[in-house]
Amino acid sequence: MSRFTKLRLSPRPIAAAVVFVVFATALVIHLTTRPDDDPVAAPATSSPASATASSSPSSPPSSTAPATPLDPAGYQKVLTDVGASITPAVQQLEQATTPAEVNSASSSLSSAVSSAAQQLDAALPPDAIRGTNRALLSDFTVLYNSSVPKIGSSALTNKLCGGVSAIAELSNDQGVAGLRDTLAKLATADPAHPYHLGPLFPDAHPAPNRSAENGAVLAGAGGGKNSVSIKNVSGTDQAVTFADLSRPVFTVYVKAGATTSASGIADGHYTVYSTGGTDWDASRGRFTRDCSFSKFGVPAAMKDNGYTHTNIDLTVHKIDPLAQPSGPFPEQSSIEPLEYPH
């Protein structure tokens, strides 16, 4: 018997190989002979606003853009509608006089910005303006997610207490600055059709820093002979008010770190309040930033009997708004803004 034995090969692997070769050949033929107009499936995509909305619950909801581009007049109408929704909300914020009003106005502005983003996302602009429209949509998304919510948060902590300071802070925001640049480009993106929107926000400007003179009597001058001496160690300017129930009778302004005396307080049994902060709005009798509100625990009884009159001494301290009053008659304790008499 030979040392070399014949190997017997099974026909099955050979048959499988033949089938594979035939299949691969058919596939190559199909790919090389596919007509050019045969549709090819494309990966699903979404607009920038849609992608933002799906990834962040705080993003404005998006809409599906139509297939037919708008003509210039149609796109300008979209911009006009956007301005008509945002401008009143900005004006509402500017007119706010309390932290609660600032917070409420910021919520209204946030809703208006969200609506604007939806309108822009739903519109298919003319070809010449598509890039600018995407930039505008991106700017509104930043406003919705960051710029406007910061205003509301600052109002909740009494950092922003009036509209003029809220608008000043918003005017210097980076998101608003980006929007301002895009609006400038909007007018020149298509030389044949200059589009216009805004200005939606005021130009960047510093926050106001108004105050009154130390010892200035803001209300109630000449009402009587009773007087008050006030030392202000709170760290901010203060307006001290004597109120009959909730009706203010006499108010005197005291600079931070200063001491003053004032007379002219009529006879009465008063509760004494103090409000402090930065930027005194004399027309509204309020501070517009970093505002605080407090009440003195001991009532002030003022009496002029013809021979003598009452003079009381007060010291205004810095009050922690989160601290609880200590003792049954705390010298001074924090109160809610709405409790301060105006």
Side-chain angles (χ1 to χ4, degrees):
M1 186 176 177
S2 170
R3 291 183 304 169
F4 303 100
T5 305
K6 286 186 177 181
L7 297 177
R8 303 186 61 183
L9 300 176
S10 172
R12 291 181 180 178
I14 297 175
V18 171
V19 171
F20 174 77
V21 170
V22 171
F23 176 77
T25 304
L27 179 61
V28 172
I29 293 173
H30 172 74
L31 292 176
T32 56
T33 58
R34 182 182 61 81
D36 291 339
D37 59 352
D38 198 19
V40 179
T45 59
S46 60
S47 66
S50 300
T52 304
S54 63
S55 62
S56 171
S58 62
S59 300
S62 61
S63 304
T64 303
T68 305
L70 294 168
D71 59 15
Y75 184 67
Q76 179 58 59
K77 184 180 184 306
V78 171
L79 296 177
T80 301
D81 291 344
V82 165
S85 65
I86 291 182
T87 299
V90 175
Q91 293 172 342
Q92 179 187 351
L93 178 60
E94 191 171 20
Q95 295 165 2
T97 60
T98 66
E101 289 180 3
V102 171
N103 183 51
S104 176
S106 70
S107 296
S108 298
L109 180 56
S110 181
S111 297
V113 170
S114 174
S115 175
Q118 292 181 66
Q119 289 175 283
L120 290 171
D121 190 35
L124 185 58
D127 291 342
I129 205 75
R130 286 191 182 184
T132 309
N133 184 76
R134 285 194 298 270
L136 194 57
L137 180 58
S138 177
D139 291 334
F140 279 124
T141 302
V142 171
L143 258 64
Y144 182 87
N145 285 331
S146 175
S147 306
V148 178
K150 285 190 294 187
I151 298 299
S153 298
S154 294
L156 291 176
T157 59
N158 287 359
K159 181 180 178 182
L160 290 175
C161 314
V164 291
S165 284
I167 286 293
E169 181 159 321
L170 198 56
S171 76
N172 289 282
D173 182 84
Q174 290 185 351
V176 173
L179 173 63
R180 201 176 287 123
D181 291 341
T182 301
L183 294 182
K185 296 174 183 176
L186 188 66
T188 59
D190 182 0
H193 301 284
Y195 297 97
H196 301 284
L197 173 60
L200 300 177
F201 298 92
D203 291 339
H205 60 277
N209 194 24
R210 298 162 290 179
S211 66
E213 293 295 328
N214 185 54
V217 176
L218 306 176
K225 295 181 179 180
N226 302 297
S227 60
V228 61
S229 297
I230 306 170
K231 183 179 182 180
N232 181 5
V233 296
S234 68
T236 63
D237 288 7
Q238 297 280 332
V240 179
T241 294
F242 289 73
D244 181 3
L245 297 177
S246 60
R247 181 179 65 89
V249 175
F250 186 89
T251 301
V252 60
Y253 194 93
V254 194
K255 288 277 197 178
T259 299
T260 191
S261 296
S263 61
I265 307 175
D267 291 356
H269 196 75
Y270 302 109
T271 301
V272 184
Y273 298 86
S274 190
T275 180
T278 302
D279 182 45
W280 176 252
D281 185 346
S283 64
R284 293 179 170 130
R286 300 174 185 272
F287 291 98
T288 70
R289 293 194 306 282
D290 302 318
C291 56
S292 63
F293 304 87
S294 64
K295 179 175 71 172
F296 286 83
V298 179
M302 313 292 280
K303 178 66 176 177
D304 175 15
N305 60 16
Y307 298 97
T308 62
H309 58 269
T310 304
N311 178 77
I312 64 172
D313 295 319
L314 293 174
T315 299
V316 184
H317 297 274
K318 181 179 181 179
I319 299 299
D320 181 358
L322 300 179
Q324 296 297 320
S326 58
F329 300 104
E331 180 183 1
Q332 186 184 357
S333 58
S334 176
I335 60 173
E336 293 296 323
L338 291 179
E339 295 182 56
Y340 190 86
H342 285 94

